[in-house]
Amino acid sequence: MRDAVTNLIGSYDGRGQYLDRNAMDALKAYFETGMARVQAASVINGNAAAIVKQAGLQLFEEVPELIRPGGNAYTTRRYAACLRDMDYYLRYASYALVAGSVDVLDERVLQGLRETYNSLGVPSGPTVRGIQIMKDIVKAQVAEAGIEGVGFVDEPFDYMCRDLAEKNI
Ligand SMILES: CCC1=C(C)/C(=C/C2=NC(=C\c3[nH]c(/C=C4\NC(=O)[C@H](C)[C@H]4CC)c(C)c3CCC(=O)O)/C(CCC(=O)O)=C2C)NC1=O
């Protein structure tokens, strides 16, 4: 598992190069947003249960078929599994925010997920929607907390959405 700094060093070391201007710019950008990333993660940590609950309610309101007979989140067990998955996405997004890298998502979340979802009939469209709803809630809360330059918040959520959406085509 790598973060923004180890990613960069790894790629320069691979070429046997000293860090150049581009590397410095990338490092500066990472460190300049460092405190905001930690603060954003702390907003998530402090509200995770509520964020997942609210996002779940909104998702099932938008796509009510999911929790009706025949829906993938129908029955208490599958409903709980769905919210648990949302919680995984949120928790790993908070790690990726702090790391400034989506590496952790590739390694711990997305690998093999398509096969699992396909075999269980978990629909990726609504899963993507659920992640987007959480992103919107997090962004609003982060902005409300007065944290500046919150553009980076999108990154891990968008990355998981792209991966899930792509792989199901
Ligand atoms: C940390 C990395 C990680 C991920 C991501 C993960 C996902 C994951 N989701 C699963 C199931 C599931 N995932 C869902 C999710 C949903 N169904 C819907 O209709 C909604 C669209 C969606 C919620 C948004 C459901 C309902 C199941 C249970 C399906 C079943 O057993 O029939 C399973 C199968 C095993 C189990 O039930 O625990 C895995 C492995 N597990 C992991 O360890």
Side-chain angles (χ1 to χ4, degrees), residues 59-60 66-67 71-74 77-86 88-89 91-92 108-110 112-113 116-117 120-128 130-131:
L59 176 65
F60 296 133
L66 292 173
I67 49 172
N72 188 262
Y74 177 66
R77 182 187 67 79
R78 289 205 298 257
Y79 187 101
C82 178
L83 292 186
R84 180 215 51 197
D85 282 10
M86 302 253 284
Y88 284 150
Y89 298 131
R91 179 160 58 88
Y92 281 95
R108 302 286 164 89
V109 180
L110 298 169
L113 187 60
T116 303
Y117 271 15
L120 294 169
V122 178
S124 66
T127 303
V128 165
I131 295 171

Side-chain angles (χ1 to χ4, degrees), residues 3-13 19 22-24 26-27:
D3 58 38
V5 177
T6 50
N7 272 336
L8 190 82
I9 291 173
S11 94
Y12 277 75
D13 185 34
L19 299 174
N22 288 339
M24 292 306 164
L27 285 171

Side-chain angles (χ1 to χ4, degrees), residues 53-130:
K53 188 174 171 204
Q54 189 187 333
L57 289 174
Q58 191 177 327
L59 176 65
F60 296 133
E61 205 176 282
E62 286 182 20
V63 196
E65 308 84 73
L66 292 173
I67 49 172
R68 291 196 187 127
N72 188 262
Y74 177 66
T75 75
T76 316
R77 182 187 67 79
R78 289 205 298 257
Y79 187 101
C82 178
L83 292 186
R84 180 215 51 197
D85 282 10
M86 302 253 284
D87 186 59
Y88 284 150
Y89 298 131
L90 184 63
R91 179 160 58 88
Y92 281 95
S94 78
Y95 297 159
L97 280 176
V98 172
S101 163
V102 293
D103 231 60
V104 63
L105 304 178
D106 282 332
E107 234 173 78
R108 302 286 164 89
V109 180
L110 298 169
Q111 205 173 43
L113 187 60
R114 172 178 59 152
E115 291 73 17
T116 303
Y117 271 15
N118 279 348
S119 71
L120 294 169
V122 178
S124 66
T127 303
V128 165
R129 181 65 196 131

Side-chain angles (χ1 to χ4, degrees), residues 25-65:
D25 287 346
L27 285 171
K28 257 179 76 184
Y30 174 63
F31 287 118
E32 274 168 10
T33 56
M35 192 42 74
R37 289 173 183 278
V38 171
Q39 287 170 331
S42 136
V43 166
I44 294 177
N45 305 342
N47 302 289
I51 293 168
V52 169
K53 188 174 171 204
Q54 189 187 333
L57 289 174
Q58 191 177 327
L59 176 65
F60 296 133
E61 205 176 282
E62 286 182 20
V63 196
E65 308 84 73

